[in-house]
Amino acid sequence: MAAHFGSRLRKGAATTALAAAAVAALSASQAPGVTADDHGRRTAGSAQDAPDPGGDSTASGDGHYYTDLPPLNSPTPAPGDAKGSAGTGSGDDSGIPATVLDAYKKAEAELRESKPGCNLPWELLAAIGHVESGQARGGRVDAQGTTYSKILGPVLNGSGFAHISDTDHGAYDGDKTYDRAVGPMQFIPSTWAWAGRDGNDDGVKDPNNVYDAALAAGHYLCRADRDLSVQANLDAAILSYNHSQDYLNTVLSWLEYYRKGTHSVPDGTGTLPRHRSDESTGPGRTPGSTPPSTTRPSTHHTPKPGHTGSGSGSGSHQGGKPSTEPTKPGTTPTSPAPTPTDTVDHLDDAGTGRLTARAGGTFDEKIVVRPETKAGTAVAKVRVRFVITGDTDATFTGGEKTATVVTGGTGTATAPALVAGEKTGTFTVRALVVGRTVAALEHTATVTERTADALTRVGDAPLTCTPGGEFAEPIELKATYKGAAPGKVAATATLLTSAEDPAENDKGPYFKDPSDEADQPSGTSGKSDKKVRTLALTTDAKGVLKLPKLYADDTTGTFLLRVTTAGGATVTLELKVAEAAS
C-alpha cells in the first residue's frame, strides 16, 4: 500500500454497496476529477466525477493489502512478559520481529518528543506494518533494519492500477518509466521525497529501512496537527494511508489486538499473513491484477538475502503491497540463507574493565561484548541491545537507559559510556542479542559518593573574636579531586577544644542551629540558645564550601575548626577568642 494516499482504491469488496461508494468517491486514478494537494499528491474529485467502479471503463487501480484479521482471542504474551514488552516466542500473531518492534517503539518515542500532541501509539505503526508488508516479511531485515531484498509493489502503469509515471529516475524502485511502492511501509518515491525520515541516525533516508520507514509513517499519520487519541482523527489518519473502509476496519482490528499485548520474536520468524485483497476470482477481478499463487507459500518463506524484486508470499498491490511471483505447482519454496544473527549461540565479554564511578561522573571503562557462534567465532553485523536495570539514575551518554549497537568487523559491540547519577550503590547492565533468544550477559556497575582529595582555605586573615561576639571573617574553603573541582561533595565541620582532645567541645565558638538561624529576622544578630558545634555541609557545583557565621560565648582561649570531606580531605583552622586590646 503506497503512502501516496489517494492514488489507490480497493476492489476486494466491489460487490457491496459500501465498497462501491468508497471506490467511486475516493478513486485516485488519472481519470477526470483527480487533483493535487499542496504536496503534489493526487486526490480524488467528487463522487459524481469519478468513474463507475462497476463499469468497464474503471482503470483506477486495486488497493492490495493483507486482509487477514487477528484471532478472536486476546494475544498471550510470553511467560512473565508485560504488555507491549519484548519477550520470547515465535509463530503466533501477537509476536512481532524484534528489530521491527524496536523500530515502531523508537518512532513512537521520537514523535512523543517532536509532536507530543499527536499521541501516536506504536501499536498503530505495527497494525499498518502488518497490513502493508507482514511486518517486513516476518522481519527479514539485517542488523541495521534494512530489508534483505526490496519489497516492491506492482508497476503503476495504469494497467489494473493507477498510472504514476516515474518520479525518482528508478533510484528507489529500479523503474525509470513508472513508480512502484517501496519498503516495509510501502511508500511510493514521490511521497518518500518529502515524507522520508532518517530513523536510525545513519545519515540516510531509506524507504527499505524499517527504522526510517516507521518514523516516516509516524510523521505522515501525525500531520495536520492530528490528535490520534481522538477516534475521528485516528480514523482520518488511517484512511489517509488507504482511503478504504475495509482497510480502516482491518487496521483498527490489529491496533486493538496489539494493544492487548505483544512480544518480540527473533527476526525472520514472524508469522506472515496469508490472504490479500486481490485474491478474488471471476468477474470481480480487475484486469491487470496479479492472480493468487497456485501454491500457498510457507508461513516463513521469504526471498534469499540479495534477491531483488518481488517476494513470494508478500502480495502485490498498487501503491503499497509487495509483489508476488506465483509459486509453481509442486515446487518447494527455497529456505532463506541464515543471517549473521541466526548464527549467534551466546554472548561473551570482550575485555570490560571494572565499572566504577563517583556520583555525577562518567565511568572510565565501557562495556564491550562479543556475540559468538557455538564454535566461539565472533559474529559481525549483529545488533546488541544494552539495558540499564536496578535502582539507579545512571544512564548512557545522552540520557537513555537503553542503547543498541551493531557489531563491527571484529565482531564486538561497545556500549556508550555510562554516566553516574546521584544515587550511590550498584546496578546491572544487561546485554542482549536483538532478534535472537540467547542468554543475556550482565555486568555490575558501582556508583560511589562524591569525594575530594584536597581541601584548602580561601584567604588567610586571622580568625579572631571577642567573648560574646561574632567572627567577622567569613570562612570559605575549596575542595578538589585530582586537581578538578568536584561539586556536591559531603563535608563535616567540627569545633574542637584542642588538637589533643578531638572530642567536640562544649565551650567556645559555635554555629547557630541552621533552622534557628533561618528564623532570625533580616539584619538581626541576636544570639540563639541552640549552639551547634558539628555541621554537615556540601560543596557547591564549583567545589566551594561556604561555612555559616561563627559566634563566640564568654569563654576565651584558642580553639580549632576541623573540616573533613568524603574521601578524607581535611583542613584544621585556628580560632581565637580574646578580650579586645585596651
Side-chain angles (χ1 to χ4, degrees):
M1 178 60 54
H4 183 95
F5 315 96
S7 55
R8 44 193 143 52
L9 63 77
R10 182 182 179 285
K11 181 109 166 76
T15 58
T16 69
L18 176 62
V23 170
L26 300 164
S27 172
S29 70
Q30 295 297 305
V34 173
T35 59
D37 63 11
D38 56 353
H39 293 293
R41 300 187 302 275
R42 296 173 180 80
T43 57
S46 64
Q48 58 266 33
D49 293 329
D52 176 9
D56 295 335
S57 61
T58 301
S60 56
D62 294 7
H64 303 304
Y65 55 87
Y66 287 118
T67 59
D68 301 65
L69 294 175
L72 294 177
N73 59 304
S74 298
T76 303
D81 203 22
K83 175 187 178 296
S85 63
T88 59
S90 62
D92 64 300
D93 291 294
S94 63
I96 300 177
T99 299
V100 180
L101 179 62
D102 187 52
Y104 296 150
K105 291 186 175 182
K106 285 188 182 301
E108 179 199 54
E110 196 278 344
L111 267 299
R112 192 184 305 125
E113 294 292 328
S114 61
K115 295 182 179 180
C118 177
N119 295 307
L120 171 79
W122 66 261
E123 293 91 342
L124 175 59
L125 297 176
I128 292 176
H130 176 92
V131 171
E132 293 294 339
S133 66
Q135 311 296 18
R137 292 178 179 151
R140 295 296 298 171
V141 296
D142 63 18
Q144 291 76 29
T146 303
T147 58
Y148 282 118
S149 60
K150 289 185 178 181
I151 302 175
L152 296 174
V155 177
L156 303 180
N157 57 9
S159 177
F161 308 106
H163 184 287
I164 304 178
S165 298
D166 175 63
T167 61
D168 66 330
H169 304 289
Y172 293 121
D173 54 17
D175 193 325
K176 295 184 179 181
T177 305
Y178 301 101
D179 269 349
R180 303 177 69 176
V182 182
M185 300 303 280
Q186 289 290 276
F187 283 91
I188 65 170
S190 58
T191 303
W192 184 260
W194 62 267
R197 294 292 192 278
D198 178 15
N200 60 349
D201 298 321
D202 64 354
V204 179
K205 298 177 183 178
D206 182 3
N208 301 293
N209 182 277
V210 69
Y211 288 94
D212 296 358
L215 184 58
H219 276 279
Y220 193 94
L221 293 165
C222 285
R223 73 195 190 285
D225 295 326
R226 289 194 183 104
D227 179 359
L228 300 184
S229 65
V230 177
Q231 187 64 45
N233 291 340
L234 176 63
D235 292 350
I238 298 172
L239 287 171
S240 75
Y241 221 96
N242 177 358
H243 221 132
S244 160
Q245 185 65 38
D246 287 337
Y247 180 89
L248 170 64
N249 294 339
T250 303
V251 171
L252 288 176
S253 296
W254 283 103
L255 170 60
E256 181 64 21
Y257 184 73
Y258 287 142
R259 276 176 165 166
K260 293 178 180 178
T262 62
H263 60 273
S264 68
V265 298
D267 290 343
T269 67
T271 302
L272 291 179
R274 289 177 171 271
H275 304 97
R276 302 190 314 270
S277 59
D278 65 329
E279 291 182 332
S280 61
T281 57
R285 171 167 297 280
T286 300
S289 60
T290 304
S293 302
T294 54
T295 299
R296 178 72 65 190
S298 171
T299 299
H300 300 303
H301 174 61
T302 51
K304 293 182 180 180
H307 175 73
T308 59
S310 304
S312 177
S314 297
S316 171
H317 81 284
Q318 179 276 324
K321 287 300 144 306
S323 300
T324 297
E325 294 179 4
T327 305
K328 294 180 180 180
T331 62
T332 301
T334 304
S335 299
T339 68
T341 302
D342 294 335
T343 67
V344 176
D345 176 75
H346 60 274
L347 275 172
D348 197 6
D349 182 70
T352 304
R354 187 163 173 249
L355 298 171
T356 59
R358 297 185 313 122
T362 300
F363 286 74
D364 293 330
E365 292 285 337
K366 293 182 178 180
I367 299 173
V368 185
V369 301
R370 182 174 49 242
E372 294 180 347
T373 64
K374 193 171 185 178
T377 304
V379 184
K381 297 183 179 180
V382 172
R383 293 174 66 85
V384 177
R385 182 171 297 122
F386 298 93
V387 182
I388 296 174
T389 63
D391 183 18
T392 180
D393 53 356
T395 64
F396 292 112
T397 301
E400 298 293 331
K401 289 281 190 180
T402 63
T404 303
V405 179
V406 180
T407 57
T410 61
T412 61
T414 302
L418 284 167
V419 179
E422 295 303 319
K423 289 184 178 180
T424 59
T426 61
F427 62 92
T428 300
V429 181
R430 304 184 69 202
L432 309 100
V433 175
V434 177
R436 186 159 177 83
T437 304
V438 299
L441 187 64
E442 297 187 344
H443 294 80
T444 300
T446 303
V447 179
T448 60
E449 64 179 345
R450 298 169 184 258
T451 59
D453 56 16
L455 188 63
T456 57
R457 182 188 171 196
V458 179
D460 56 2
L463 299 172
T464 61
C465 181
T466 59
E470 304 174 1
F471 285 82
E473 183 69 21
I475 299 176
E476 189 173 297
L477 306 173
K478 177 78 172 186
T480 56
Y481 178 78
K482 295 183 179 180
K488 301 180 181 179
V489 175
T492 302
T494 305
L495 290 159
L496 307 174
T497 301
S498 66
E500 290 75 23
D501 184 4
E504 176 184 321
N505 66 352
D506 57 359
K507 292 183 177 13
Y510 64 89
F511 300 107
K512 286 186 177 181
D513 183 271
S515 60
D516 184 74
E517 183 81 4
D519 292 338
Q520 294 292 334
S522 178
T524 300
S525 59
K527 297 181 176 60
S528 169
D529 292 332
K530 299 178 182 178
K531 297 179 175 63
V532 177
R533 292 186 168 89
T534 298
L535 276 182
L537 305 166
T538 304
T539 64
D540 64 15
K542 296 181 179 179
V544 175
L545 189 66
K546 295 181 179 180
L547 274 65
K549 185 178 291 187
L550 272 169
Y551 300 90
D553 60 14
D554 295 333
T555 306
T556 60
T558 301
F559 304 89
L560 299 178
L561 170 64
R562 179 166 295 163
V563 182
T564 302
T565 68
T570 302
V571 65
T572 301
L573 306 175
E574 190 176 78
L575 307 174
K576 291 185 178 181
V577 181
E579 296 289 347
S582 58

